Amino acid sequence: MSTPAGTGTAAGTAGRTVRVVIVDDHAIFRSGLKADLDPSVVVVGEAGTVEQAIDVIASERPDVVLLDVHLPGGRGGGGREVIAGSAALLGTTRFLALSVSDAAEDVVAVIRAGARGYVTKTISGAEITDAVFRVAGGDAVFSPRLAGFVLDAFGTAPADIADDELDKLSARELEVMRLIARGYSYKEVAKELFISIKTVETHVSAVLRKLQLSSRHELTKWAAERRLL
């Protein structure tokens, strides 16, 4: 799996921690995941069913919920039902789907429900730590392949592109924008375009400023609406 979107590893975020709840119906997976996470990711609760998840999320109010898509309990809605049952916290608690499934319908359904990203369980401990910090910071995190499902689902209606919007971006900024919006990490963009990570960061900052956007999530939506991907 490709590395999720991000600028670097969470371990490099000096002094910062993120409070997390892990929701998965397999206790052995929850234990393994906790062991793999960087110490900067603090697990404050766990749950194995829809009902348990809603309760512990309401009690702990974590920064991020690592959420399996398919869960027992509730009305059969799995991860989507957990998000719906925690709707009052969506402004402060963010949900990152973590599943064995890479089916388009699962990805799109949980993103429609309000998740900020979706990664599969083939991800490494370092990658999931990075993804947790990205989501906590407001980014949308996907592998490039899974991001394509979301862009297809949410970008089906072509929008008119004002010439002056694209004219604001240089050719290189447009290349960087497309890769970032697809879910590539800064490191992957740098490798793809044969430029430094610092240069990628500079281009992304310029793109967000010129388009008057505040996050990678808004950039992905902007690009999808204009069929630029």
Side-chain angles (χ1 to χ4, degrees), residues 91-198:
T92 55
T93 294
R94 294 182 170 93
F95 292 80
L96 174 60
L98 178 61
S99 177
V100 295
S101 172
D102 61 359
E105 58 267 27
D106 286 335
V107 178
V108 172
V110 76
I111 297 303
R112 287 190 187 279
R116 296 285 296 183
Y118 194 116
V119 293
T120 63
K121 289 182 178 179
T122 57
I123 195 170
S124 70
E127 289 173 330
I128 190 60
T129 295
D130 185 70
V132 164
F133 270 80
R134 297 298 150 221
V135 168
D139 283 348
V141 180
F142 305 90
S143 70
R145 178 173 179 268
L146 301 186
F149 296 151
V150 178
L151 296 172
D152 287 344
F154 290 90
T156 54
D160 292 334
I161 304 173
D163 289 339
D164 59 350
E165 282 185 304
L166 294 182
D167 287 344
K168 294 175 182 177
L169 305 182
S170 69
R172 179 63 88 187
E173 287 169 350
L174 189 58
E175 288 178 317
V176 170
M177 179 275 293
R178 283 176 169 154
L179 292 174
I180 290 294
R182 288 172 181 167
Y184 282 70
S185 69
Y186 283 28
K187 182 177 180 180
E188 288 174 323
V189 174
K191 183 178 180 180
E192 183 79 13
L193 300 180
F194 301 100
I195 57 179
S196 71
I197 295 175
K198 182 65 176 178

Side-chain angles (χ1 to χ4, degrees), residues 48-127:
T49 68
V50 169
E51 294 88 351
Q52 290 171 0
I54 293 172
D55 287 345
V56 73
I57 292 167
S59 173
E60 296 296 336
R61 296 176 177 264
D63 301 307
V64 176
V65 177
L66 289 170
L67 180 66
D68 196 4
V69 174
H70 301 290
L71 294 167
R75 298 184 299 277
R80 289 174 297 157
E81 189 173 344
V82 172
I83 297 174
S86 308
L89 301 178
L90 283 178
T92 55
T93 294
R94 294 182 170 93
F95 292 80
L96 174 60
L98 178 61
S99 177
V100 295
S101 172
D102 61 359
E105 58 267 27
D106 286 335
V107 178
V108 172
V110 76
I111 297 303
R112 287 190 187 279
R116 296 285 296 183
Y118 194 116
V119 293
T120 63
K121 289 182 178 179
T122 57
I123 195 170
S124 70
E127 289 173 330

Side-chain angles (χ1 to χ4, degrees), residues 2 17 24 27 31 40 65 78 84 99 105 109 112 140 172 186 188 199 204 218 225 229:
S2 299
T17 61
D24 192 282
S31 297
S40 57
V65 177
S99 177
E105 58 267 27
R112 287 190 187 279
R172 179 63 88 187
Y186 283 28
E188 288 174 323
T199 300
V204 172
E218 288 187 3
E225 288 174 347
L229 303 170

